[in-house]
Amino acid sequence: MKPPHVAAYIEMLGLPVPEGQGLSKPSVKQHLAALRMLFDWLVIGHVIEANPAHAVRGPKFSQRKGRTPVLDRDEARAFIAAIDTGSLTGLRDRALIGVMIYTFARVGAVLQMKVGDYFSQARRGWVRLHEKGGKYHEAPCIPKLETYLDEYIAASGIADDKDGPLFRTTGRSTGAPHRLTQQDAYRLIQRHAKRAGIKTRVGNHSMRATGITDYLKSDGSLAEARKMANHADTRTTQLYDRRSDAASLDEYGKVGI
């Protein structure tokens, strides 16, 4: 007997499968993996005898190149240069974007940082990133990023608030500081991209992808990029390797019509 397809399995559970509004294949595979883990836990706890999702087939999906829009080096420099650092908000935004680009960090890991997660070690600034599952990943700061963070922290006066959020809302005179959300980060990136005249539709993940892509284009090691980005597998890191894009553009440019 053929194993059931994931859509059929969802119907078996009594859940609706809306026509034309289904999840993407990667999302389906992720949801199915979560179901398998849940049922495995129930089996271990002797709640059920067997994992009913074990034989469910997920959709076939293979991706060798990421879809996240990235900026080339000149665009990224123009993007950062367009940020108005004459205000506290501009200094904060530049520091936030800088951490994502120069340390290959996820936006969620950066926004969870506390003031004390930027620290000095061996005469170099370091950041401690709050990764998934309560884990931490530490990365050194290049001098440019140190400047961004130092200027923001000095202007905001939060240096002594070690347990407070590093990237917080500005302009509030009373009450506890509010940590920026991922929606806040997305909006500020959109605002600065528009000001810089960037036509590429960038978002939060684009900052991380831009840093990794530029590193690989500069002959950086894929193995080192995996460690720097805190990826579990180099196959994930390879999704950010866009060096073939430039080669393809050069070839298409040979058309002389």
Side-chain angles (χ1 to χ4, degrees):
M1 186 175 95
K2 290 184 179 180
H5 187 272
V6 65
Y9 182 67
I10 291 175
E11 290 180 334
M12 287 165 53
L13 292 176
L15 300 175
V17 182
E19 294 184 7
Q21 300 180 12
L23 296 172
S24 64
K25 289 184 179 180
S27 295
V28 170
K29 291 172 71 70
Q30 187 178 44
H31 282 63
L32 181 56
L35 282 171
R36 287 192 181 116
M37 291 178 65
L38 170 62
F39 286 127
D40 279 340
W41 180 78
L42 292 174
V43 170
I44 293 173
H46 303 289
V47 178
I48 58 178
E49 293 184 358
N51 185 339
H54 179 71
V56 178
R57 290 184 294 108
K60 292 183 178 180
F61 179 78
S62 178
Q63 186 173 352
R64 297 184 179 181
K65 179 180 175 181
R67 296 181 179 179
T68 302
V70 299
L71 301 175
D72 63 27
R73 184 172 296 178
D74 290 338
E75 283 182 313
R77 287 173 174 170
F79 176 62
I80 295 174
I83 299 174
D84 179 12
T85 54
S87 66
L88 176 59
T89 300
L91 290 171
R92 179 203 63 192
D93 295 353
R94 184 180 65 171
L96 171 63
I97 291 167
V99 174
M100 287 191 283
I101 290 178
Y102 295 118
T103 69
F104 309 167
R106 293 184 306 103
V107 63
V110 179
L111 294 177
Q112 288 302 312
M113 289 177 64
K114 301 176 182 179
V115 176
D117 289 323
Y118 172 55
F119 59 95
S120 181
Q121 180 174 289
R123 294 185 291 181
R124 168 74 68 188
W126 286 68
V127 291
R128 183 183 298 109
L129 303 166
H130 294 236
E131 296 290 351
K132 299 176 182 178
K135 298 179 181 179
Y136 296 101
H137 173 63
E138 295 182 351
C141 301
I142 63 171
K144 188 180 296 185
L145 180 56
E146 284 185 299
T147 299
Y148 293 170
L149 287 165
D150 288 341
E151 291 184 355
Y152 161 57
I153 292 173
S156 61
I158 60 175
D160 294 329
D161 187 17
K162 299 297 183 184
D163 292 325
L166 176 58
F167 296 107
R168 57 182 73 184
T169 53
T170 58
R172 294 177 181 269
S173 57
T174 60
H178 290 257
R179 188 184 302 276
L180 288 182
T181 65
Q182 292 195 28
Q183 290 76 17
D184 292 331
Y186 178 79
R187 284 192 290 267
L188 70 87
I189 286 173
Q190 293 292 302
R191 184 170 65 252
H192 295 305
K194 183 178 181 180
R195 176 177 295 177
I198 302 296
K199 296 182 179 180
T200 304
R201 191 172 179 80
V202 292
N204 293 335
H205 198 58
S206 297
M207 302 298 101
R208 167 177 167 94
T210 293
I212 297 173
T213 298
D214 190 74
Y215 171 80
L216 292 173
K217 284 184 176 180
S218 301
D219 296 325
S221 162
L222 183 63
E224 287 299 318
R226 182 198 68 78
K227 291 189 290 185
M228 293 160 70
N230 200 36
H231 285 148
D233 196 307
T234 53
R235 286 177 295 182
T236 303
T237 314
Q238 281 180 307
L239 297 176
Y240 299 94
D241 190 352
R242 306 291 180 83
R243 287 173 287 186
S244 61
D245 290 358
S248 296
L249 180 60
D250 290 341
E251 292 304 309
Y252 283 112
K254 294 178 181 179
V255 178
I257 298 173

